[in-house]
Amino acid sequence: MLKKILLVLVVLIAAFAGYVAMQPDDLHIQRQATIAAPPAAVFDNVNDLKKWDAWSPWAKMDPNAKVGFEGPAAGKDAVFTWSGNDQIGEGKMTVVDSRPNELVDLKVDFTKPFENTSSSTFEFKPEANQTVVTWSMGGKQNFIEKAMCIVFNGKKMIGDEMDKGLAKLKTVAESGAAPAPSP
């Protein structure tokens, strides 16, 4: 009887491992929000990494995290470093491309709890008197990361945090935006 249980367990583990191995190496998550503010107001809150504390969902997970800034105050080559609790880990985020009121592209290097590099891109599109913000995250996943993503529903967890961040970005940008002109 014990041999049968072990055999079933081995088959289940092998099936799960096969399923994990068949998952794509590339992870891509995208969320979108419409913000009642001009692109410049929204862009400024993303392009200036010092302003992330006001809206980033991860900043609230560890208010005692050690943070630092390097390079220019905002835009290309601006750098944000952090070291925090188990929820946010440790790493470095660098603006690799910045086009005013259009795009902010970031390289995110995690060092703890695991090493990984990903990208995070914000696109800003004017629509009437509003701005449509598209936030995309992506990167390569190894076998363990794919398994963890399946077990803990990582895409949903990250997507939920992105939704929270966009909602807070909306609040911050709209509260600081000049009233939109009437059509």
Side-chain angles (χ1 to χ4, degrees):
M1 182 65 163
L2 184 58
K3 285 184 181 183
K4 286 183 183 181
I5 292 172
L6 286 175
L7 180 60
V8 168
L9 187 59
V10 167
V11 168
L12 288 174
I13 290 170
F16 179 72
Y19 180 73
V20 170
M22 291 178 6
Q23 299 306 302
D25 292 339
D26 292 318
L27 175 68
H28 180 78
I29 304 166
Q30 182 172 299
R31 295 294 189 268
Q32 194 171 71
T34 301
I35 299 176
V42 185
F43 172 84
D44 184 54
N45 282 289
V46 176
N47 193 52
D48 184 342
L49 300 179
K50 290 179 181 171
K51 293 185 177 184
W52 280 52
D53 189 55
W55 62 267
S56 171
W58 292 283
K60 307 308 177 228
M61 289 181 183
D62 185 1
N64 298 318
K66 291 177 179 72
V67 300
F69 300 92
E70 302 167 13
K76 187 169 177 8
D77 298 324
V79 174
F80 169 74
T81 59
W82 75 92
S83 178
N85 62 22
D86 291 344
Q87 287 184 292
I88 66 166
E90 185 175 321
K92 174 177 155 180
M93 184 167 61
T94 306
V95 178
V96 295
D97 191 10
S98 175
R99 290 181 246 150
N101 310 328
E102 291 179 21
L103 175 121
V104 175
D105 192 18
L106 303 139
K107 177 183 176 193
V108 185
D109 295 303
F110 295 96
T111 54
K112 289 182 183 174
F114 53 86
E115 290 188 16
N116 192 347
T117 297
S118 64
S119 65
S120 191
T121 303
F122 291 82
E123 296 177 87
F124 311 92
K125 303 280 184 210
E127 186 175 282
N129 292 329
Q130 303 179 349
T131 303
V132 176
V133 180
T134 304
W135 185 2
S136 304
M137 292 179 131
K140 298 282 185 193
Q141 301 181 102
N142 63 31
F143 182 85
I144 299 295
E145 292 164 339
K146 289 191 280 187
M148 300 272 297
C149 199
I150 291 167
V151 170
F152 297 108
N153 201 359
K155 280 182 135 178
K156 182 180 180 331
M157 282 181 15
I158 293 168
D160 288 350
E161 293 304 318
M162 292 168 71
D163 285 336
K164 287 178 191 174
L166 286 170
K168 188 67 177 167
L169 178 61
K170 177 179 175 68
T171 300
V172 168
E174 288 177 353
S175 68
S182 302

